Amino acid sequence: MAGVSNGQETEKFYLQKEQLTVDSDDEYEYEEVPVNEDFINADLDEDLDLAVRTIREAEEEKDATVKKGELPKPSVTRRAEVVDDYVRNFLVRMGMNRTLDTFQTEWYELQQRGSLHAEDIGVVPDMYGRNQELDNEVKFLKREVEKYRDAAMNAKETYVKIRKERDYHRMHHKRVVQEKNKLINDIKRLKRHYQQYEPTLQQLKKKYEVAMKEKMLSKLEKDRAVGQVSGLQNTLKSMESFKGGSAKLSQGPTTSTRRGVYQTDSEGRGPTQRTLAMEREMCDVGNEPGDFKRYPNDTEFPVDTGINPQLANVKRTSSHLSRTGGFRLSNTFQAHSHPVSCVKLHPRKPILATTSDDHHWKMWSVPSGEIIMTGEGHTDWVSGCDFHPSGSKLATSSGDTTVKVWDFSKAECVHTFTDHTHAVWGSTWHTCGDFLASCSMDMTAKVWDLNSLRCRYTLRGHTDSVNSIEFLPYSNTLLTCSADKTISLWDARTVSYYYILWTYALCEFSTFNLRGDTVGSCDSYGVVKLWDVRANAPMISLDVGPHPSNRLAFDPTGTVVAVASNDSTVKMYEVASGKVSSLVGHEDAVQCLAFDQNGEYLISGGSDCTVRIWS
């Protein structure tokens, strides 16, 4: 009956749970769980009687088993005692030793004299023996009763203790059920409360993204206007200087520049222009007059001055070397849902562009890691990106064999180049902003004209995939590396290479330092080489393997080289001392990295889909 009543109470409790109001904000009222002492005592007596009955039934079953012969009882033959033995046994049991000695003396004397008759020395009557046996049995049963009484008392105490524990746990269970119901009600109420605010949060998020885009576009427009103003001012100054110096230039065939005085020919061409003309004649690029354009809107390559104005702003000491312990991890954020393939910094603002295997590119504010813009359009993994020198455009390359140019002022893709036949690994802008170069798995590199929107030149010479490409800043020199274990330097104006550097393994990436006199390369064996461009020979060979090295970058001073390794670390190589240290933080292979323009921090992206900032 107790089990049935408890089940009914539980069922009734769960029915009440379904009727609880969900929207009640008042303090939750718990049900009182009463304890019925009479019910407990009644159950206690009933259970004690049941225990006694169980013990008796067990004994009866044991006796019945013995009677059935399952456990044979040994047979004992009892012989009736004679009178003198009975008396002796009685005296021994009572401890009457002197009386026993006297009895034996007198008994044997009477027996020798023949005074004892046959009925005197016969067996003891059965009544006395039976009384003795009954007396022994009574004593044994008394001991058994005492033993069972003690066992019953212990069992009673244990049962009472267990019964109290059961009642305690029952009340505790009911209280826990009530707490659970209260929490369920609170969760339901919070869910409904959150659902009311979710549309508002979505609207605020969209407004925030729109505001950030407008903010960035306004900054770009401002920079463009400032650039136009400065360009007009420079044009006015150059026109004034041209008017003042035109007479001097007409007097002689010499021209003065920052690099010295050189002789000009009858057409006013310097040594660079003359060499370029000769190379074009040799390569059959064109024998037309200098003012002839092969295609409408084609752009002429600028003159190589060999001067990089960014060198004036470079610090003398690397920030990595000046800080105790070098760079340390300062920020981490989840950038994409797939591995990050490339990171590039805006040339003028603290803005980061990232590309990924998830077919998207994104722009972030650094070092905070707030997202600014997301670009969609490629149909395959996006391998790389590069900012326009003015910062107003972004070029992206992809496994879908295309190169796309995105205009931030229009917030859209303004052109797509589709001449490559296989996946495109990377792209790079010329400093003038009118030319874009790309490298591909089709073993070629191409130079695109942004004014005529066509491929101006195709660089052929590599016998395997061209893995990276880079313009030397403020120059027409192109640097490419290939899976055919070669690194080539090309003149983009003549479509010819003038240096080939040989490596011992598949070359993953190559880049210039800021001065342009050193080339760094890394290969699939983890070997990093630094090449002297003027001597056409390697200066330093560093083995950071056995894991492949995916990318490397020079800091602005050129004294520290950062290497993205497949072992999930960034290797920091100090050129002067040869010391190598590791930046540990990524959980998977590091795919790309970049220093900021001042060398204050390093940004890395990896296969763990994160971007990490080291400063």
Side-chain angles (χ1 to χ4, degrees), residues 434-492:
D434 294 329
F435 298 97
L436 177 68
S438 61
C439 60
S440 170
M441 198 183 293
D442 61 8
M443 299 184 291
T444 67
K446 293 181 181 294
V447 179
W448 313 89
D449 193 325
L450 269 295
N451 290 320
S452 59
L453 297 177
R454 72 184 188 96
C455 175
R456 287 286 297 272
Y457 306 117
T458 298
L459 283 61
R460 307 180 190 275
H462 288 293
T463 59
D464 206 336
S465 171
V466 185
N467 294 331
S468 73
I469 188 167
E470 181 179 340
F471 268 112
L472 176 64
Y474 299 93
S475 170
N476 296 313
T477 301
L478 268 173
L479 174 68
T480 61
C481 75
S482 171
D484 62 6
K485 305 179 183 179
T486 63
I487 303 171
S488 299
L489 284 86
W490 308 74
D491 189 334

Side-chain angles (χ1 to χ4, degrees), residues 120-139:
D120 295 329
I121 61 176
V123 296
V124 179
D126 293 339
M127 179 181 63
Y128 294 102
R130 183 61 179 166
N131 289 337
Q132 187 67 31
E133 291 177 0
L134 292 174
D135 185 35
N136 293 336
E137 187 175 356
V138 167
K139 292 180 180 179

Side-chain angles (χ1 to χ4, degrees), residues 413-429:
C413 174
V414 293
H415 191 71
T416 301
F417 297 105
T418 60
D419 287 7
H420 282 293
T421 58
H422 287 79
V424 184
W425 286 120
S427 58
T428 177
W429 288 96

Side-chain angles (χ1 to χ4, degrees), residues 270-280 494:
T272 303
Q273 286 79 6
R274 291 197 300 270
T275 304
L276 179 59
M278 293 173 60
E279 291 289 344
R280 282 181 173 173
T494 62

Side-chain angles (χ1 to χ4, degrees), residues 16 132 188 230 284 305 316 322 442 540:
Q16 292 177 358
Q132 187 67 31
K188 289 181 180 179
S230 60
D284 293 330
T305 62
R316 295 183 178 180
S322 62
D442 61 8
I540 297 173

